[in-house]
Amino acid sequence: MIWWLKTRLVHTVLACGVAAFGLLTFLFQDGTVVLPAISVTAGNTVLLAGFTPLLVVGALVQSLDSRLTTAEVTGTRPVAWLDTGLVVVTMITVAALTAVGGFLLDSPAVVAAGRNSLFLTGLALCARGWTGRSSIVFPTAWIFLVVLVGHRTADDFFPWAVTGLALGSSTAAVAAGASLLLGISLNHHMTTRQGSRP
Amino acid sequence: MRISTLIRSSTALPALVPALGLTLSFYVFSTHDQVAYWPYPYAPTLVQRSIEQVYALSYALVSAAAAWQGARFKESRVRESAPYRREWTVVALALSPVVAVGWLILLVPVALAFSERPTWPTPVSLPPLLLGMALCAAHGVIGFVVGQRLKPALAVPVMACGVFLLVSYPHAMEPFYLRHMSGEYFAHLGFAETATAASMVAQLLPTLSLAVAASLTLTRGHALLRSGLGLVVCVGAVLISHSIVKDWNYNPSVNVNAVRTTCTGTAPEVCLPVNAGKDAKAISDEVHRTFAVLEKYQVVDSPPKRVEEALDYGRFTPDNTKDTGYLLLSTAQQENRVNAEVIGTYVKFPCEMPQPTLRRAVLLWLEQKTGTMPGYERIAAGDPFYTPAQHQETLKAVDEVSAKSATEQVSWYKKISRSACEGSS
């Protein structure tokens, strides 16, 4: 177990990623920035906390990507299950962290950042079985997509731009759950089938 | 390395898809209108307006892709193999396709703009483009160095979002000096304006110095010396840049009056940019015709000595004086309403806010005598409370007045301009 935790950089990269995410999200809270956009001409206001979930996703992708290939293919350890467990535990940690933080700071944007972390992690995990560490490109591209063409008007998002939607939106909540479930299942399936990826 | 191998093996190839998609989308949905707006194709505007929205995206993409290249460079352990070529040439070669993608983001909209408004780039029009290209390279170096420390899974999102936010947010926030130093030259250059050397240097230095400091980490030598040098370069560059821009408001310094003009006629002498070409005579004739009517009906005592194209003064149009008027003649000519531009400027009421319906009657009365009258839609576009019935009524009144003798019309005008101001200060 300790061997596996060290290989996956849980105590270094993943812990630091989640900590940095928490710190920045709590710092930004409901702070916004005005950015250029394609879909609206002016006043494209975006939550700063919309960007921080990528730290969790990035750290998780790097963590899952850090392997001891030869030792892991021997099959003496249930590596796929351990990986899935790692993802689940990280997601529970992030959700709990943002739920508590959002409650204490009275900031819905913090809780939404936790929800978005689930969605974006799911997005990356869906692709990870095929693209390996390049899967981080998909959540990053998604964030840019929402910033540039996600706005219908200056303060309203299209329904597909789920990471931009407010905390109360059921579409966004369902999308986050579905994305994470699909991502975890696909990632688990691909890890068992292929063993470790190069 | 063969060029095809260089491109195929680089992160630049997958980055090409979002790069072209984004830059073309920005052009079609946003820049295209800006480019079409100006009455004359003017190279500095075509260059700067085409790229001001995509500076930040090009930097962000180059930075993220370069970070990935940097990580691959490190993983391939090139530095540990026996030296065959100089190390900096290896790094430059690895970065060149990535930087080229950034340049493409900037060059494609400029090329499209010039093909849409046929003219040639001039030397004074290029600095904003060269600034972007230089800073693409600088962001490439910074990203590459970050990639030495951080794996792509973290470096790509951090650099893409970080650079995008740091470069593009300052132009919507205060203090103003940040926007003049971020590397995004969001100046909205208009006709007759060009970028100043000072504003280019101020935009260039901070990022460039950061790139120099970052590249020092790739060199060998005393660590303390290198970091000290890097710090000095960065602080120095930021201070120089800040000293240039500290007194600017949201406008950077711009050169204006960068176009040649020709003046024709007298009373008033009409001065237009040489770009007006064959339109100049039509504009000048319409101005003279309009002033003749204004004089005849005693709306003005005498025309100004000279009427100038306001666009020649860029964003800083001088106030009209008794001798000189500054009118948007070329823009008006495009919409066939030069007479309305002159009338709207020179019909004066004794008060600040005349009653809109009566004011409009006076304007229409004069416009009918001098050329085209604006249709209902055009007036309603500027006044949401204006109804078609009102328009018909005004037109009828105008027709009635115009049928009378000149002296009667003059006294009508005097009466109307007085009653338009009743009840207002």
Side-chain angles (χ1 to χ4, degrees):
Chain A
M1 189 70 177
I2 290 174
W3 167 89
W4 174 81
L5 285 174
K6 278 187 174 171
T7 307
R8 289 290 183 274
L9 309 171
V10 173
H11 59 301
T12 52
V13 172
L14 191 57
C16 287
V18 173
F21 160 78
L23 209 66
L24 283 177
T25 311
F26 294 164
L27 197 70
F28 294 150
Q29 295 185 36
D30 296 73
T32 54
V33 284
V34 181
L35 295 175
I38 297 170
S39 60
V40 287
T41 44
N44 183 36
T45 313
V46 179
L47 279 172
L48 264 175
F51 292 93
T52 51
L54 287 174
L55 286 168
V56 173
V57 188
L60 199 57
V61 168
Q62 185 182 338
S63 159
L64 293 176
D65 214 64
S66 163
R67 291 167 176 272
L68 287 176
T69 317
T70 38
E72 292 185 18
V73 289
T74 55
T76 52
R77 290 177 184 81
V79 173
W81 282 110
L82 285 171
D83 281 358
T84 303
L86 180 67
V87 174
V88 171
V89 169
T90 310
M91 289 299 103
I92 291 174
T93 312
V94 166
L97 190 69
T98 53
V100 173
F103 177 72
L104 291 179
L105 298 165
D106 193 20
S107 163
V110 170
V111 190
R115 177 202 69 191
N116 293 345
S117 302
L118 307 192
F119 176 81
L120 295 168
T121 304
L123 206 60
L125 290 182
C126 283
R128 210 188 84 83
W130 291 271
T131 56
R133 68 177 178 182
S134 309
S135 56
I136 189 61
V137 168
F138 298 99
T140 311
W142 176 268
I143 292 284
F144 273 84
L145 204 65
V146 170
V147 168
L148 294 175
V149 298
H151 272 89
R152 181 159 50 195
T153 63
D155 42 28
D156 186 25
F157 282 90
F158 287 111
W160 64 261
V162 288
T163 50
L165 299 178
L167 183 61
S169 157
S170 53
T171 325
V174 170
S179 160
L180 187 63
L181 267 181
L182 189 67
I184 289 176
S185 334
L186 274 175
N187 186 56
H188 185 83
H189 174 70
M190 293 304 281
T191 316
T192 13
R193 209 183 64 161
Q194 295 185 339
S196 63
R197 281 191 52 83
Chain B
M1 204 189 294
R2 294 216 324 267
I3 294 226
S4 61
T5 318
L6 183 67
I7 293 172
R8 243 172 339 107
S9 63
S10 170
T11 330
L13 196 58
L16 200 58
V17 180
L20 287 178
L22 288 172
T23 195
L24 287 175
S25 306
F26 264 107
Y27 188 83
V28 170
F29 291 108
S30 164
T31 314
H32 170 81
D33 297 341
Q34 304 280 349
V35 166
Y37 168 76
W38 297 94
Y40 314 115
Y42 175 65
T45 299
L46 291 181
V47 170
Q48 195 273 332
R49 285 289 176 110
S50 312
I51 57 177
E52 65 180 8
Q53 303 246 40
V54 290
Y55 278 119
L57 280 171
S58 67
Y59 301 158
L61 195 74
V62 167
S63 191
W68 204 314
Q69 284 288 81
R72 294 172 66 200
F73 181 83
K74 183 149 188 237
E75 286 160 10
S76 64
R77 302 164 89 165
V78 174
R79 304 188 90 191
E80 290 166 30
S81 53
Y84 169 62
R85 288 174 296 171
R86 286 180 188 282
E87 194 178 316
W88 71 267
T89 58
V90 182
V91 174
L93 198 65
L95 277 181
S96 55
V98 169
V99 175
V101 170
W103 288 3
L104 209 60
I105 297 183
L106 300 171
L107 286 170
V108 165
V110 172
L112 284 173
F114 275 99
S115 66
E116 217 172 332
R117 303 299 303 270
T119 184
W120 291 104
T122 53
V124 289
S125 69
L126 293 179
L129 179 64
L130 298 177
L131 168 80
M133 292 169 79
L135 288 189
C136 271
H139 278 287
V141 172
I142 297 169
F144 189 87
V145 169
V146 171
Q148 305 289 305
R149 306 287 151 92
L150 219 53
K151 292 275 185 191
L154 277 165
V156 166
V158 166
M159 293 315 280
C161 298
V163 170
F164 185 66
L165 285 171
L166 287 177
V167 172
S168 65
Y169 184 42
H171 96 253
M173 70 185 280
E174 286 187 50
F176 289 126
Y177 61 79
L178 286 177
R179 73 181 63 188
H180 301 305
M181 295 162 68
S182 71
E184 184 188 52
Y185 184 62
F186 213 95
H188 279 323
L189 283 188
F191 189 72
E193 296 181 337
T194 54
T196 56
S199 65
M200 292 292 103
V201 169
Q203 294 278 17
L204 193 64
L205 280 183
T207 316
L208 204 62
S209 69
L210 200 59
V212 169
S215 61
L216 281 176
T217 64
L218 294 177
T219 56
R220 297 187 175 83
H222 199 285
L224 204 63
L225 193 71
R226 284 184 298 156
S227 45
L229 191 61
L231 198 68
V232 167
V233 169
C234 278
V235 171
V238 169
L239 286 181
I240 292 172
S241 183
H242 180 257
S243 73
I244 295 174
V245 305
K246 63 179 187 294
D247 296 329
W248 295 357
N249 61 4
Y250 51 87
N251 282 314
S253 70
V254 287
N255 295 319
V256 284
N257 242 330
V259 290
R260 286 191 298 129
T261 57
T262 50
C263 300
T264 51
T266 49
E269 183 182 30
V270 179
C271 293
L272 290 163
V274 288
N275 311 50
K278 59 182 177 350
D279 278 351
K281 186 159 175 2
I283 297 174
S284 144
D285 284 353
E286 189 156 351
V287 169
H288 286 121
R289 199 163 60 236
T290 310
F291 272 112
V293 170
L294 293 185
E295 253 185 299
K296 180 182 171 195
Y297 292 97
Q298 299 176 22
V299 178
V300 294
D301 300 332
S302 61
K305 286 204 180 65
R306 171 202 278 251
V307 170
E308 289 196 44
E309 171 57 75
L311 284 180
D312 290 347
Y313 293 86
R315 67 194 64 189
F316 308 110
T317 313
D319 290 334
N320 292 339
T321 61
K322 196 175 172 309
D323 286 344
T324 318
Y326 302 93
L327 304 179
L328 287 165
L329 297 172
S330 306
T331 322
Q333 168 70 11
Q334 273 190 316
E335 296 164 356
N336 212 5
R337 49 180 291 277
V338 172
N339 61 333
E341 175 72 15
V342 175
I343 292 164
T345 314
Y346 279 93
V347 173
K348 292 277 186 277
F349 287 85
C351 56
E352 283 281 301
M353 301 277 280
Q355 206 256 320
T357 323
L358 296 178
R359 176 173 181 271
R360 197 166 299 116
V362 171
L363 296 185
L364 285 169
W365 166 65
L366 289 166
E367 278 156 6
Q368 193 184 40
K369 295 176 191 312
T370 51
T372 51
M373 289 165 88
Y376 167 71
E377 284 78 13
R378 194 180 164 85
I379 303 176
D383 179 0
F385 302 109
Y386 194 57
T387 62
Q390 269 181 322
H391 188 59
Q392 288 309 321
E393 211 173 295
T394 314
L395 284 183
K396 218 171 88 197
V398 167
D399 284 340
E400 264 171 37
V401 176
S402 300
K404 294 177 184 169
S405 73
T407 36
E408 278 176 307
Q409 291 190 42
V410 171
S411 58
W412 173 83
Y413 163 67
K414 302 256 145 99
K415 194 177 87 205
I416 286 283
S417 54
R418 266 198 311 278
S419 54
C421 283
E422 271 168 19
S424 89
S425 54

